Amino acid sequence: MRANPLRVLLRVRYGECDAQGIMFNARYADHLDILMSELVRAAFGSYRAMLEEELDTHVVRCLIEWTAPARFDDVLALSIVHLAFGTTSFTAEVAMCRHPGGEPIARAEHVNVMVHAVRKGKTPIPASVRKRLATAAARGGTIDFSGGPGVAGAGRLPGTHSTTATREKP
C-alpha cells in the first residue's frame, strides 16, 4: 500500500463519549464501517452500484487494539494501511490516529466476506472487483467528515482537548 492510502477524517461527537469524555469502545466499529463504505464508493462509484452487480459485503470479523483514548472533539484519521484478499473475503488493516499529528489511537483488522446480493450466500470475489478495491485503497485521498476546525473551548467537557482538521481534496 502506498504511503498516502485512502483515509477518512471523523470528529468524535459528544454522543459517542462516556462521562469522562472518552469515545465509547463500540463507536470505533461505527467509524470503521464508515471507512469501509467509502472504500466501496471509491471502488464502485456508489454502494448501490455494487449491489447492482449483485454483490454485497458482510463484516465477519472486527478486531480493535487500542493504544490511546480518543476524546470528545478529537479528529480521527482512519487509513487503510493494507488490504489482503482471500477467495471470498478481504481484510483491511486500519490505522486510527489523532489528526493532525498522527498520534496512534488504535489499529484494527476488519474482515468482510463477499456475498451474492440476491442469493445471500458467500461468493468468490471477482478479479475485477479485487482490482477495483485494491486500487481504491491505494490511490489515496482524504474524505473529510470532521466538520472542519473546532472552536476553541466550545462545547468541550472538562479535561478534553481539540485538534483541528485541514480541508484536503481527495
Side-chain angles (χ1 to χ4, degrees):
M1 196 79 34
R2 31 182 288 189
N4 180 25
L6 176 68
R7 80 176 174 169
V8 171
L9 300 180
L10 297 162
R11 187 174 300 275
V12 177
R13 298 168 300 175
Y14 180 81
E16 296 172 323
C17 296
D18 61 20
Q20 291 78 38
I22 295 172
M23 189 162 80
F24 180 64
N25 65 73
R27 300 292 69 86
Y28 289 81
D30 293 341
H31 286 202
L32 286 167
D33 193 56
I34 293 168
L35 175 64
M36 298 312 292
S37 292
E38 292 306 320
L39 173 64
V40 167
R41 281 189 188 90
F44 288 87
S46 70
Y47 203 91
R48 180 173 301 283
M50 181 177 67
L51 295 173
E52 288 171 356
E53 291 186 34
E54 297 186 342
L55 296 172
D56 199 357
T57 63
H58 293 178
V59 177
V60 294
R61 177 179 164 90
C62 183
L63 174 68
I64 303 169
E65 296 177 343
W66 290 269
T67 54
R71 299 183 183 281
F72 170 63
D73 213 30
D74 281 348
V75 173
L76 302 182
L78 284 72
S79 303
I80 298 175
V81 296
H82 184 71
L83 193 62
F85 294 93
T87 302
T88 60
S89 66
F90 60 97
T91 301
E93 182 183 334
V94 177
M96 297 180 194
C97 299
R98 206 173 317 278
H99 178 81
E103 176 192 353
I105 299 295
R107 289 193 75 80
E109 179 182 285
H110 200 268
V111 183
N112 288 267
V113 67
M114 188 67 65
V115 297
H116 192 280
V118 176
R119 294 189 308 267
K120 304 296 183 194
K122 288 194 302 187
T123 191
I125 303 171
S128 62
V129 171
R130 290 171 190 261
K131 183 175 181 180
R132 283 190 278 177
L133 288 168
T135 299
R139 84 171 144 238
T142 296
I143 301 151
D144 188 353
F145 294 116
S146 71
V151 178
R156 272 191 210 92
L157 298 176
T160 64
H161 67 280
S162 176
T163 58
T164 57
T166 56
R167 294 283 181 191
E168 299 180 34
K169 294 183 179 179

